Amino acid sequence: MSSNNDIDALIEMMAKLPGLGPRSARRAVLHMIRKRALLLAPLSEVMATVAATARECLNCGNVGTSDICDICESETRANGQLCVVEDVADLWALERSGIFKGRYHVLGGTLSALESVGPDELRIPKLLARIDNEAISEVILALNATVDGMTTAHYIADQLDGRVTVTSLAQGVPVGGELDYLDDGTISAALTARKPM
Amino acid sequence: MSSNNDIDALIEMMAKLPGLGPRSARRAVLHMIRKRALLLAPLSEVMATVAATARECLNCGNVGTSDICDICESETRANGQLCVVEDVADLWALERSGIFKGRYHVLGGTLSALESVGPDELRIPKLLARIDNEAISEVILALNATVDGMTTAHYIADQLDGRVTVTSLAQGVPVGGELDYLDDGTISAALTARKPM
């Protein structure tokens, strides 16, 4: 393509990233080569650092640079609340909101009969162990509102039945959302869960 | 965001690439961390190599790893044809088609009164010098069919008037294109340039 092996190899690797295809990988690589001193060299260094140090927290599954992540290490986050999410990206999204002050548990996916993912493929045994170890009083199920997400939430709620309070995220109209653009399921959920003003 | 400085720095740099925003950069970084041995470490290495070796060809402006690029070095490409493009990405697109066997000249942009880009900001003086140095017989103007691209093409054609044959890419219906989906300008250009079957 570029008549140069290293540049072609870089394009090919960039094209494997989610959200990038061959065309956008070529654009990104050309952009990086133009800004090679300011962008390509520092990017390469920070990638090498992350490649060498990144690992999954042995306790919760969050991504960090130590065996136990900062959130699990922090005593101030041990408030008895444990928020269960499917993926590290969901954990980051909740952290950005800044509203949750407890700890997390990353399942690493959802139960799925089609893809034969059972409880042991996820971090569900570890979740059950943490309930006692960390004196958890409330488990907040923050799974995606998909069929697999809901199935997994119900499975976990069954497993925890009676041991701790189990809650889930409220369903309803998104902040800033317009009714006209919402699907029927969301409107019906918001109407069912209506509350006094 | 991820409560880790290196990972945050990586996300921030990735988000600066064209085609990626904060959200897709986070997705890409999580993907890379999951595949750190297979993707992140090799990607970091090839980036370091490219950062250290990539440079622009002193003759044509193509991107490569030596002062004179492979195409300019190759004697078999000295067939008297010189294809003028705006950008290295256009050169790569023409190379992928495999139909052009001459050499290239990358302008590095287009003339633009609004952004005060004149002939000396582009590689136009170098282009004029190459006509004699490399015994060019035909200059093919493969600029984008935008207003700035067309202005630049006319300027170059004026400068070269009488010295060499100057041609430009044909305008018309794209291969596989459906008339119903084409803009009026393209249809009118294709009709004007119609040819006997």
Side-chain angles (χ1 to χ4, degrees), chain A residues 84-87 106-125 127-128 141 143-160:
Chain A
V84 177
V85 293
E86 283 178 31
D87 196 271
V106 180
L107 292 178
T110 49
L111 298 174
S112 167
L114 272 180
E115 296 171 30
S116 56
V117 179
D120 295 337
E121 273 77 48
L122 306 177
R123 278 191 200 81
I124 292 182
L127 169 64
L128 302 179
L141 298 173
L143 303 180
N144 293 331
T146 57
V147 172
D148 281 345
M150 292 295 105
T151 310
T152 310
H154 281 118
Y155 175 84
I156 294 175
D158 276 349
Q159 297 286 312
L160 296 178

Side-chain angles (χ1 to χ4, degrees), chain A residues 9-85:
Chain A
L10 180 54
I11 294 173
E12 206 176 296
M13 283 185 195
M14 291 290 292
K16 284 185 193 155
L17 297 180
L20 287 174
R23 178 182 300 266
S24 43
R26 283 195 298 269
R27 277 185 64 209
V29 167
L30 266 181
H31 179 83
M32 289 194 289
I33 290 177
R34 282 199 202 99
K35 315 215 161 190
R36 51 192 174 275
L38 281 170
L39 185 55
L40 193 52
L43 189 54
S44 143
E45 277 166 37
V46 76
M47 270 188 186
T49 312
V50 171
T53 59
R55 67 198 66 194
E56 280 162 4
C57 173
L58 296 176
N59 195 41
C60 75
N62 185 15
V63 157
T65 50
S66 45
D67 282 341
I68 302 295
C69 75
D70 296 348
I71 297 176
C72 286
E73 284 282 10
S74 163
E75 276 306 316
T76 61
R77 312 245 354 194
N79 66 356
Q81 290 183 324
L82 188 65
C83 182
V84 177
V85 293

Side-chain angles (χ1 to χ4, degrees), chain A residues 3-4 34 36 54 65 70 87, chain B residues 3-4 36 54 65 70 87:
Chain A
S3 75
N4 180 280
R34 282 199 202 99
R36 51 192 174 275
T65 50
D70 296 348
D87 196 271
Chain B
S3 76
N4 180 279
R36 51 193 175 275
T65 49
D70 296 348
D87 195 274

